[in-house]
Amino acid sequence: MSLKGRNFIDLSHFERRELRRILDTAHDLKRKQKRGERHELLRGKSLAMIFMKSSTRTRVSFEVGMTQLGGHALYLQPSGTQLGRGETIADTARVLSRYCDAIMARVYGHDEVVELAEYATVPVINGLSDLLHPCQIVADMMTIEEYKGRLQGLKIAYVGDSNNVSNSIMQGCTIMGMNVTVGSPKGYTPRPEILKRATELSERYDTQLEVVNDPYEAVKNADIIYTDTFFSMGQERSKEKEEALMPFQVNSDLVGAAKKDVIVMHCLPAHRGEEITDDVMDGPHSVVFDQAENRLHAQKAILVLIV
Ligand code: CP
Ligand code: NVA
């Protein structure tokens, strides 16, 4: 099974054995890096990184990852390129494909990364869109394996705003055999088309998938509690949404309602005091900085396999 030449845009386009291969490669590359073994598997290769929105982790982990693999990454923003003056995504994709071996893009509308992939002749990686954040969830599943030793049969409870991160959790974790509960207030639950696709996956992989409107019901018996910001990039802040989401804050009370050995995850950046409290973020259940580190190893695996 080869993943060479594949786009990495949507986890639902991958089979369990393909995601398994990416995870195994990620663990292997992490071991190599920790031992100081050289692993310049992409020597002479270049990755174009288009960022339409801000980023700390995605930018730095992809750039450092390419360096560790012996390659090079270019940081491109609309303001510094002709994208900002109206050159089309299609033409940009065609041109970048003539110079680079892969393109990573962080975009507003998901259709922008899909269009990029349609016109690029090199693999395209989704570095976050309004709909999905697939690289994040590979790093997250790698982190869960480090702490729990497995994925299959574990319960992950995502609580908060249903967004790109929770959408990718519903796909990736389901494919890997985890049971997924999304706890979101009414009005902030997953989009119907995403829920439909995730439900098909849960039937195919024989897992449980549910959406509930009570945070305590969501975290009951959970092995993992996961949360993310109330307001994703590109969304307007509103008092109404904040009030609806405050009862879903991950605080010590909510963590106490899950399994004793629950781990708490957050893709970061966190808005301390909103979706998560300081004591939980800095407390014994939190694995958020391991998750952040694993972006590096997970994305190196994705790059090595598709380029
Ligand atoms: N989690 C994540 O994607 O972080 P950045 O926005 O900093 O890249
Ligand atoms: N849901 C967040 C994730 C940031 C990494 C956002 O889209 O802003």
Side-chain angles (χ1 to χ4, degrees), residues 1-161:
M1 173 209 12
S2 169
L3 292 171
K4 199 168 156 80
R6 290 276 294 276
N7 295 316
F8 195 80
I9 290 178
D10 181 329
L11 293 174
S12 73
H13 298 164
F14 289 83
E15 305 272 331
R16 179 179 290 178
R17 63 197 179 103
E18 293 172 333
L19 294 185
R20 184 69 265 154
R21 174 124 193 258
I22 294 172
L23 285 165
D24 289 344
T25 306
H27 288 295
D28 184 50
L29 289 171
K30 182 169 183 175
R31 277 190 295 271
K32 286 196 166 72
Q33 197 237 329
K34 298 287 174 199
R35 285 195 216 116
E37 273 175 46
R38 286 176 93 85
H39 48 280
E40 296 186 345
L41 300 164
L42 295 182
R43 198 170 313 143
K45 305 281 184 194
S46 296
L47 172 72
M49 309 191 297
I50 301 172
F51 280 94
M52 310 273 201
K53 298 181 193 172
S54 317
S55 168
T56 297
R57 280 143 289 269
T58 307
R59 184 209 165 155
V60 177
S61 56
F62 266 108
E63 190 162 335
V64 170
M66 279 303 286
T67 304
Q68 292 180 0
L69 291 167
H72 178 70
L74 299 97
Y75 177 63
L76 308 171
Q77 276 187 303
S79 59
T81 61
Q82 300 291 5
L83 266 172
R85 295 184 56 251
E87 187 166 18
T88 64
I89 288 187
D91 289 345
T92 305
R94 291 177 175 115
V95 171
L96 292 178
S97 298
R98 300 288 179 113
Y99 305 126
C100 298
D101 302 283
I103 303 169
M104 195 285 308
R106 168 166 285 194
V107 298
Y108 282 95
H110 186 71
D111 50 349
E112 292 174 313
V113 69
V114 171
E115 188 181 354
L116 200 59
E118 194 180 331
Y119 293 96
T121 53
V122 295
V124 170
I125 300 171
N126 178 3
L128 180 146
S129 67
D130 62 345
L131 192 68
L132 300 170
H133 196 3
C135 297
Q136 178 70 50
I137 278 52
V138 178
D140 298 340
M141 293 195 294
M142 182 185 176
T143 311
I144 295 168
E145 288 188 323
E146 289 176 341
Y147 277 90
K148 301 284 180 190
R150 68 191 164 106
L151 295 173
Q152 209 152 348
L154 295 178
K155 173 177 174 178
I156 180 166
Y158 175 91
V159 283
D161 182 37

Side-chain angles (χ1 to χ4, degrees), residues 150-214:
R150 68 191 164 106
L151 295 173
Q152 209 152 348
L154 295 178
K155 173 177 174 178
I156 180 166
Y158 175 91
V159 283
D161 182 37
S162 293
N163 61 16
N164 40 16
V165 170
S166 60
N167 290 344
S168 284
I169 288 174
M170 288 198 293
Q171 298 183 340
C173 294
T174 298
I175 293 169
M176 295 313 290
M178 298 177 72
N179 299 316
V180 180
T181 299
V182 174
S184 298
K186 289 203 175 86
Y188 302 100
T189 52
R191 302 185 198 185
E193 74 277 13
I194 284 285
L195 188 58
K196 180 167 175 282
R197 180 79 184 110
T199 305
E200 286 163 9
L201 289 170
S202 79
E203 282 161 11
R204 172 164 175 209
Y205 289 103
D206 197 21
T207 66
Q208 288 163 28
L209 174 72
E210 56 173 1
V211 178
V212 300
N213 303 124
D214 176 345

